[in-house]
Amino acid sequence: MMTKMEKLLSLELKVFTVQDLMTIWGVFEKKKLWSLIRYYLRVGKLKKVYKGVYSIGEYDELGLAQKLLKPSYISYYTALAFHGVIFQFYGSVHCVGLISKKIKINDKEFVYHKLKESVFYNSLGIVSKKNFVIAGLERAVTDSLYLAPTLSFDELSKVSKQKLHEVSKIYNNKSLEKRVDLLIKTME
């Protein structure tokens, strides 16, 4: 039988919420769970990253971003850079969620931008990676145009015009659809 730490180490994840630890370890009694967490913190097997968020070893910033505010997914500047659409470097990790919030951990800032629920919960253009969920190329472009209407892009050659148009419809926002149509015309 695997120990609690062996269970964590056997996973590809490096960042865990209290809820994750409860599920992975199968410990549903809160006192016992917190006792285990405090023990593993004391012996140095777990590291506290943020309130209710813990890590084992080195972790990926994008994976951490998903654990700091739930629900959320990587989008906006971070997803645009990930997909090679913008070349500017932004030191912060940008995500979208149901609330706007900034969280600073060490020297890294995690910025969460609010999307309306109907858009946020629409999974069109959302991609699951190993340790995080990110807006796909066209979703990242439309999320960004929705949040920052005058944003410009550096490289759009990989963007599917058809998908971009399709994704723009989920926002139910005529001005966004017009901006997307103008962007598509510039791509031709």
Side-chain angles (χ1 to χ4, degrees):
M1 188 158 140
M2 292 199 312
T3 67
K4 306 276 187 250
M5 285 312 295
E6 286 172 340
K7 285 182 182 180
L8 293 183
L9 292 168
S10 72
L11 302 171
E12 292 186 30
L13 300 173
K14 299 294 180 202
V15 181
F16 307 91
T17 62
V18 173
Q19 185 68 40
D20 294 334
L21 294 173
M22 179 186 295
T23 304
I24 294 164
W25 290 342
V27 177
F28 302 100
E29 185 186 321
K30 285 190 179 192
K31 274 187 175 183
K32 186 174 181 182
L33 178 65
W34 282 107
S35 176
L36 282 168
I37 291 171
R38 281 192 300 276
Y39 169 75
Y40 286 120
L41 286 169
R42 191 171 55 253
V43 297
K45 301 264 182 169
L46 269 182
K47 178 183 169 193
K48 184 176 182 174
V49 179
Y50 187 71
K51 184 174 27 178
V53 180
Y54 303 91
S55 72
I56 53 171
E58 294 298 312
Y59 54 84
D60 177 349
E61 289 174 345
L62 300 183
L64 173 59
Q66 296 273 223
K67 300 293 184 176
L68 294 174
L69 184 69
K70 285 186 171 190
S72 65
Y73 63 87
I74 311 300
S75 191
Y76 203 27
Y77 295 130
T78 305
L80 292 173
F82 182 88
H83 294 298
V85 174
I86 60 171
F87 303 140
Q88 300 89 334
F89 173 74
Y90 293 91
S92 303
V93 175
H94 290 265
C95 304
V96 295
L98 298 173
I99 62 170
S100 294
K101 187 172 187 166
K102 288 183 182 180
I103 299 172
K104 192 162 187 168
I105 297 177
N106 300 324
D107 292 331
K108 183 59 98 177
E109 188 172 50
F110 296 84
V111 182
Y112 297 86
H113 304 273
K114 182 179 180 178
L115 273 184
K116 59 185 177 180
E117 280 189 43
S118 61
V119 175
F120 180 81
Y121 284 117
N122 189 314
S123 62
L124 184 64
I126 304 296
V127 180
S128 289
K129 298 288 185 184
K130 184 170 68 171
N131 294 328
F132 57 90
V133 178
I134 189 167
L137 179 55
E138 292 77 14
R139 179 69 178 252
V141 170
T142 54
D143 277 354
S144 299
L145 285 173
Y146 180 76
L147 294 167
T150 60
L151 188 67
S152 60
F153 306 97
D154 298 318
E155 177 58 53
L156 293 169
S157 64
K158 295 178 188 167
V159 176
S160 162
K161 297 171 196 165
Q162 181 183 339
K163 276 187 190 175
L164 189 62
H165 184 72
E166 182 184 337
V167 172
S168 73
K169 300 283 185 197
I170 69 172
Y171 298 83
N172 199 21
N173 183 308
K174 295 296 178 196
S175 60
L176 173 66
E177 289 178 40
K178 286 179 186 175
R179 285 191 298 276
V180 166
D181 288 342
L182 281 172
L183 182 64
I184 289 171
K185 284 181 183 170
T186 66
M187 293 165 57
E188 294 173 347

